[in-house]
Amino acid sequence: MSFNKKHKIAIAIVLSLALILLSGSVIISRIISQKVVQILEDQNVENLHVSIEKTKFSLFDRSLVFNGVHISPNDSAMLKLQNNKLDKKSLHKISISRLKFKGIHLMPLLFSKHLNINKLIIDDPLYQHFTNDEKDTSKGAKKPLKLDSIRIEELKGFQLDIIKVTNLKVQVIDAINKDISFENKPLDFEVSGFKLEEIAAYYFKLVPVEDVFEMTRIKVEFPKIKYLFSIDALKYHFGEDHLQISNLKYKPTVNKLTLANSYIYNTDVYDLDIKEIKLYAIDFEKILSNKGLFIDSIQLSQLNMEIYKDKRKPFDLNKRPKLPHQKLKTLKMPFLIHKISANDSELIYEEKLEHKDVLMKVTMKDLNINMFNITSVKEYRNTPLKIDLNTQLMGKANLNVDLLLPLADDQNTFFFSGYLGPSKMTSFDSAAIPALGLNVLNGQIENISFQGSANNFTSKGSMKMLYHDLEAEVFKKKTAEKNDFLSWSVKNLVHKSNPGNNGEVREATMKFERVMYKGFGNFLWKTLQNGIVNSIAPFGMTTEKVAAKKKRQSKRENRKKNRKD
C-alpha cells in the first residue's frame, strides 16, 4: 500500500470519527434539549415562565451548555403583585446568559450512574427580587430542606468540583414604581464545589469537596439609602466549623454631612469598619429550612464605628424605639447567639447642635464588649441578656459598665452599674461644652461609681462621684458667649469637691423619665447626667436628702393618723 493511500485512509478515519462525534453531539444535544423542556413543562409552576434559548452538548470537551436561561414571573402575576392581589408579597426573576457544565465524566455515568463534573460556569447571572413593600402575612409552612437526607432515584452519586460565577448581579426592585432599592457591584468568584454521599438506598447527604469555601471582593450598593457594603474575603472552614469575614465595611457613598442633611429627621449616619469577624458553629440547616438563626458565638476584632447626628434636625415624634431586651422578646424569628464579643475596638459619636459652632464628641478607645445569651427562643429566655463593657472614655479614663436585661415575658426592669477611673475633668470638654455649655477649667475626678435600674418608662439609682478642685464657666444656651451669672454661680455655689470640707461623701440620686421617641443610649446617658448634676449642684438631690424627706413625710403621716385616732 502506497504512502499516499495510507495517508488518505488516515484522513478518512479522522474525518469519520469527527463526523461521528459531531453527529453524536447534535443528537445528544437534541435529546437533552427535549428532556429539559419536558422536565420544565412537567413542573407546571404557577405564575412562572421558564425558557432556554439554546442547548448544546459537545463530546470533544464533554461539556453541556445552556444559553439564555430565563426563569421569570408571567405578566399576570406581576400585575397582581403591583395591585396587591397576589397571594404572596414578592416575585423572583433569574436570567443567565450561559450555564456550562464542563468536563462531564461519561463512563461513570453510563456504567455506575455516578455523575462527576469538573466545573460549572455561570456567566452573567441576574437575580431580581420584585416586591410591593407590603409585609408578607402568609402563614403557609415552607417545606424544610434536609441537607443530610436528599432523595435521588436516578443517580447513585454526584460530584461537582468547581463553581465559577462571573458578573453576578442582585437587585431588589419596587414592582410598582420600578425603583431599585438594592443593587450589588458585579461580582466574580470561583469556589470549590460539593458532592453527594450515599447514606442509604436513594438517600444522600450534601458535603463539600474542599475543606474551605472562599469568596473575595464582595461589594453591595444600596442606592436608595446611599450606603456601600463590602467584604474583602469570606471563608468558611468546614473542618473547624467557622465562617471568617475579612475587612467588612459599611460606609456612606456621600459625605456624612451631606447625607445627614438629606434626612427629614436627625437620623444617625454610620461609618463601620471591622477588621475580622469569626462566626462559630452556624446551624445552616435551620437557616435553609427557615427555622431561624442559631450561632454558637461571634468574635469581632478591631471594630471601628463612627456615628454622626445633626441635632438641628427635628426628632421623629412618632418613633417608639424598643429597648434591646424588648426587641428580642418580640422577635418572631427564632434567634440564638450564645456569645458576641468585640475587642480592640473604637467608637466615635458626634452631634451637630443648634446654635453651636463646635461638634459634641464622645470617643471610646480600646473598647471591649461581651454579650451573653442574645436570644428570642423562649426556652433560653429564663436567663437574662448580659452585657459587660470596658473602654477608655475620651481616650483618658477607664470605664466599666455592666448591664443585665431580663428576657422572661413577665419581667421588664433591667439593671446597670459602672465605674469610671481617675481622670482630669478637662478631658470631657469636647462633650460638656457643646452639650451642657459647661467649660471645665480645672478639676480632678478620683472615680465615679453608679448603679441603678430602669423599665420602659423611668430609671432610678445612685451615684458616688469623688472629685476635687472643680473650676468651670458656663456659656449661654444659644450662643458661644459666656453666661456671667451662671459662671458666678458655678464659682461660688456648686460643690467644688466630694468629700466636702466636713469629710462626708455625698451620694447623689439618679432619676429620669424616658422620652419615648428616643432610644436606649439617650435613656442611659440622661440618667447618668442627672446623677452628675446632683453630685455638683448645690441643691442636687442626694440619698441623704431623700432619706430625710421620707422621714419627714413619715412623721407627717403619723401625726395625721394620731389626730384621727
Side-chain angles (χ1 to χ4, degrees):
M1 186 180 293
S2 66
F3 176 78
N4 287 336
K5 190 173 183 181
K6 289 180 180 180
H7 188 64
K8 290 178 180 179
I9 292 173
I11 292 174
I13 292 172
V14 171
L15 290 174
S16 299
L17 289 172
L19 184 61
I20 292 171
L21 288 173
L22 182 60
S23 301
S25 297
V26 173
I27 293 170
I28 294 173
S29 296
R30 287 179 180 177
I31 294 172
I32 292 175
S33 180
Q34 292 172 359
K35 184 66 174 177
V36 170
V37 171
Q38 184 62 48
I39 290 172
L40 296 176
E41 289 178 350
D42 290 343
Q43 298 305 306
N44 194 26
V45 180
E46 188 179 4
N47 302 323
L48 206 61
H49 175 70
V50 185
S51 66
I52 298 174
E53 294 176 8
K54 186 179 179 182
T55 305
K56 180 182 178 182
F57 179 79
S58 173
L59 283 171
F60 290 101
D61 62 356
R62 295 171 287 113
S63 66
L64 173 63
V65 179
F66 298 101
N67 289 311
V69 180
H70 303 284
I71 304 172
S72 58
N74 57 39
D75 294 339
S76 175
M78 185 63 75
L79 186 60
K80 288 180 180 178
L81 178 67
Q82 293 170 347
N83 295 322
N84 199 24
K85 293 181 179 179
L86 197 65
D87 57 355
K88 46 188 172 183
K89 303 304 176 185
S90 62
L91 291 170
H92 316 275
K93 181 179 179 180
I94 299 173
S95 298
I96 302 172
S97 66
R98 188 184 71 150
L99 196 65
K100 181 175 183 178
F101 297 90
K102 185 177 181 181
I104 302 172
H105 295 247
L106 297 176
M107 300 305 289
L109 178 62
L110 294 173
F111 293 101
S112 60
K113 292 188 177 181
H114 281 263
L115 177 57
N116 297 331
I117 301 173
N118 291 342
K119 196 170 190 177
L120 169 61
I121 302 172
I122 307 172
D123 291 329
D124 305 316
L126 172 62
Y127 170 74
Q128 294 175 305
H129 179 87
F130 294 90
T131 176
N132 62 5
D133 282 338
E134 294 286 336
K135 290 185 178 180
D136 192 351
T137 56
S138 60
K139 298 182 180 180
K142 294 183 179 180
K143 188 177 180 180
L145 177 62
K146 295 182 179 181
L147 299 180
D148 59 351
S149 182
I150 302 172
R151 182 176 174 84
I152 300 177
E153 296 186 5
E154 300 296 328
L155 295 175
K156 290 189 176 181
F158 175 82
Q159 179 167 323
L160 173 61
D161 295 330
I162 298 173
I163 302 172
K164 181 180 180 181
V165 178
T166 62
N167 200 35
L168 168 66
K169 291 191 72 174
V170 178
Q171 296 176 334
V172 178
I173 303 173
D174 189 316
I176 299 173
N177 55 33
K178 307 301 181 183
D179 286 344
I180 298 174
S181 60
F182 167 91
E183 183 175 36
N184 68 301
K185 296 288 186 182
L187 184 63
D188 298 345
F189 60 91
E190 185 173 295
V191 297
S192 58
F194 58 89
K195 59 184 176 180
L196 295 174
E197 289 185 354
E198 191 172 19
I199 56 175
Y202 306 125
Y203 285 92
F204 300 82
K205 67 176 180 180
L206 187 69
V207 295
V209 172
E210 301 290 342
D211 290 335
V212 177
F213 170 92
E214 182 176 5
M215 293 177 63
T216 58
R217 296 183 298 277
I218 302 169
K219 290 186 178 181
V220 179
E221 190 169 348
F222 300 86
K224 197 171 184 179
I225 59 174
K226 296 181 176 65
Y227 274 92
L228 177 66
F229 173 86
S230 66
I231 292 173
D232 280 1
L234 183 152
K235 295 181 182 179
Y236 188 79
H237 303 260
F238 290 97
E240 301 173 12
D241 195 16
H242 80 266
L243 177 67
Q244 180 180 346
I245 300 171
S246 301
N247 292 325
L248 182 149
K249 300 179 188 296
Y250 183 68
K251 296 179 176 292
T253 55
V254 298
N255 181 277
K256 66 181 181 181
L257 304 180
T258 303
L259 184 56
N261 190 54
S262 69
Y263 297 141
I264 298 173
Y265 304 107
N266 55 24
T267 305
D268 294 336
V269 175
Y270 297 97
D271 191 323
L272 175 66
D273 192 330
I274 306 176
K275 186 71 174 178
E276 184 179 69
I277 306 172
K278 289 185 177 180
L279 299 90
Y280 291 90
I282 305 170
D283 195 329
F284 286 107
E285 185 174 342
K286 281 190 169 61
I287 294 172
L288 294 172
S289 301
N290 199 35
K291 292 182 179 179
L293 180 64
F294 291 78
I295 301 173
D296 180 75
S297 60
I298 300 177
Q299 294 180 2
L300 302 94
S301 299
Q302 297 183 41
L303 180 154
N304 295 301
M305 178 181 283
E306 296 182 18
I307 304 174
Y308 175 79
K309 178 179 284 192
D310 189 344
K311 292 291 286 289
R312 297 172 300 179
K313 297 276 186 175
F315 282 96
D316 183 357
L317 303 182
N318 294 317
K319 283 182 67 177
R320 291 297 181 267
K322 293 180 180 178
L323 303 179
H325 57 307
Q326 292 175 327
K327 289 181 181 179
L328 285 170
K329 286 193 279 190
T330 56
L331 196 64
K332 292 182 179 180
M333 178 185 72
F335 183 92
L336 172 63
I337 303 175
H338 291 291
K339 182 182 178 181
I340 299 177
S341 61
N343 59 70
D344 194 20
S345 301
E346 182 175 354
L347 172 66
I348 299 175
Y349 179 81
E350 295 178 323
E351 284 185 357
K352 179 63 178 176
L353 303 173
E354 194 171 5
H355 307 296
K356 299 291 175 68
D357 295 329
V358 294
L359 289 172
M360 193 281 283
K361 185 174 182 179
V362 177
T363 62
M364 292 184 178
K365 294 189 175 181
D366 193 20
L367 174 63
N368 299 284
I369 304 173
N370 290 300
M371 303 172 63
F372 302 90
N373 197 46
I374 310 99
T375 184
S376 66
V377 182
K378 195 173 182 68
E379 51 263 40
Y380 288 92
R381 289 202 276 112
N382 289 327
T383 302
L385 165 64
K386 181 182 178 183
I387 303 173
D388 62 66
L389 172 154
N390 66 79
T391 185
Q392 291 291 315
L393 185 61
M394 312 302 279
K396 301 291 184 180
N398 185 49
L399 172 66
N400 297 282
V401 178
D402 294 305
L403 294 132
L404 209 60
L405 300 100
L407 298 174
D409 290 333
D410 58 346
Q411 298 176 26
N412 285 306
T413 301
F414 68 92
F415 302 88
F416 58 94
S417 61
Y419 178 88
L420 181 72
S423 59
K424 292 182 179 180
M425 287 188 172
T426 52
S427 301
F428 305 99
D429 276 350
S430 63
I433 293 175
L436 305 175
L438 185 68
N439 181 21
V440 177
L441 303 174
N442 190 31
Q444 178 72 31
I445 295 175
E446 297 298 333
N447 64 73
I448 299 176
S449 59
F450 58 87
Q451 58 183 359
S453 62
N455 53 37
N456 194 35
F457 305 102
T458 62
S459 62
K460 62 180 180 179
S462 61
M463 173 182 287
K464 285 184 181 179
M465 178 176 173
L466 305 183
Y467 64 98
H468 57 82
D469 301 328
L470 170 62
E471 292 182 31
E473 58 185 11
V474 181
F475 293 92
K476 293 180 181 180
K477 185 176 181 181
K478 295 186 177 181
T479 67
E481 296 178 17
K482 180 179 175 182
N483 189 315
D484 293 327
F485 174 73
L486 290 179
S487 295
W488 177 89
S489 301
V490 169
K491 182 178 181 180
N492 293 279
L493 299 179
V494 302
H495 298 296
K496 292 182 174 59
S497 299
N498 186 27
N501 293 331
N502 59 5
E504 293 183 1
V505 175
R506 296 186 308 280
E507 184 177 33
T509 62
M510 299 188 299
K511 189 175 182 180
F512 185 70
E513 298 286 333
R514 182 188 174 193
V515 181
M516 297 308 294
Y517 54 81
K518 297 184 180 181
F520 183 64
N522 177 270
F523 193 17
L524 277 180
W525 162 239
K526 289 296 184 181
T527 303
L528 298 176
Q529 180 181 305
N530 179 254
I532 294 171
V533 171
N534 283 337
S535 297
I536 297 174
F539 305 107
M541 189 60 66
T542 64
T543 54
E544 292 85 354
K545 291 180 180 179
V546 171
K549 184 178 180 180
K550 287 183 178 179
K551 188 175 181 180
R552 291 193 298 271
Q553 186 176 356
S554 179
K555 285 182 178 180
R556 286 196 295 268
E557 290 175 354
N558 286 334
R559 284 197 295 267
K560 289 180 181 179
K561 184 178 179 182
N562 291 333
R563 290 193 198 102
K564 290 180 180 179
D565 293 343

